[in-house]
């Protein structure tokens, strides 16, 4: 391990010095499910931290403390957005688009921390989500030289 990533405290024992996780500058919009996920993560990390003794494993203590700071900040800055209803794309909407190659892709527009493209959710700050926001069925948008037509909004 590079010495640049190791700090030796007075006792001479080396452990990793982890920087805080970066916090997005975007508004922390969350779905009700996203807020529940954040709250569950805070509770899990608090329980994990209380189960560690400071002398037990300093690297684990540092990692869990850092993650707890991040998720607590995200919980405190969360702005819940209620369920989507309407005929235009907004935060929380489930959108089906028709791609240029005639394949259909469905995803839900969610908060940054709950986004998981492989599971069918994208962040509201993603270029595609931003391009689709405010549009309706039949509208077409171009993102990164690819065209998407809105086929359905739920």
């Amino acid at each position: 391990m590079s010495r640049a990533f190791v700090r030796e405290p007075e006792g001479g024992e080396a452990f990793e010095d982890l920087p805080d996780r970066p916090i997005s500058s975007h508004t922390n919009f969350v779905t009700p499910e996203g807020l529940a996920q954040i709250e569950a993560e805070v509770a899990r990390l608090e329980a994990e931290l209380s189960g560690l003794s400071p002398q037990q494993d300093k690297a684990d203590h540092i990692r869990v403390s850092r993650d707890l700071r991040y998720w607590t900040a995200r919980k405190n800055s969360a702005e819940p957005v209620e369920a989507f209803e309407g005929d235009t794309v907004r935060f929380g909407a489930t959108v089906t688009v028709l791609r240029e190659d005639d394949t259909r892709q469905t995803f839900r527009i969610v908060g940054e921390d709950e986004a998981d493209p492989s599971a069918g959710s994208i962040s509201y700050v993603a270029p595609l989500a931003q391009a689709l926001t405010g549009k309706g069925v039949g509208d077409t948008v171009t993102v990164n030289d690819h065209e998407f037509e809105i086929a359905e909004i739920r």
Side-chain angles (χ1 to χ4, degrees):
M1 173 181 285
S2 167
R3 299 301 298 169
F5 296 105
V6 176
R7 176 175 60 172
E8 292 194 27
E10 291 178 17
E13 182 180 330
F15 60 90
E16 291 186 38
D17 187 16
L18 296 176
D20 279 340
R21 292 177 60 178
I23 303 280
S24 173
S25 61
H26 298 285
T27 303
N28 187 17
F29 293 127
V30 295
T31 64
E33 299 87 1
L35 182 56
Q37 291 171 352
I38 291 171
E39 290 170 339
E41 188 63 9
V42 168
R44 184 190 71 75
L45 289 165
E46 287 173 340
E48 186 175 347
L49 189 60
S50 70
L52 293 173
S53 75
Q55 287 72 32
Q56 186 178 24
D57 188 345
K58 291 185 181 193
D60 282 344
H61 195 274
I62 290 168
R63 177 190 53 79
V64 173
S65 294
R66 178 208 51 183
D67 290 349
L68 182 57
R69 284 191 305 275
Y70 173 83
W71 288 109
T72 299
R74 297 303 280 172
K75 177 182 169 188
N76 292 338
S77 67
E79 294 189 24
V81 177
E82 290 303 315
F84 164 81
E85 290 186 25
D87 56 358
T88 60
V89 177
R90 294 181 220 178
F91 183 91
T94 299
V95 182
T96 300
V97 294
L98 185 60
R99 300 172 66 99
E100 297 165 316
D101 61 1
D102 291 328
T103 59
R104 295 171 82 81
Q105 182 176 9
T106 301
F107 51 85
R108 185 171 183 216
I109 299 174
V110 297
E112 291 179 281
D113 293 314
E114 58 189 307
D116 182 357
S118 65
S121 59
I122 62 172
S123 168
Y124 80 99
V125 299
L128 180 58
Q130 290 182 338
L132 292 171
T133 298
K135 305 283 194 270
V137 172
D139 287 343
T140 302
V141 298
T142 301
V143 177
N144 294 331
D145 297 325
H146 296 284
E147 194 171 277
F148 302 87
E149 180 183 345
I150 300 171
E152 182 182 6
I153 303 168
R154 302 189 305 266

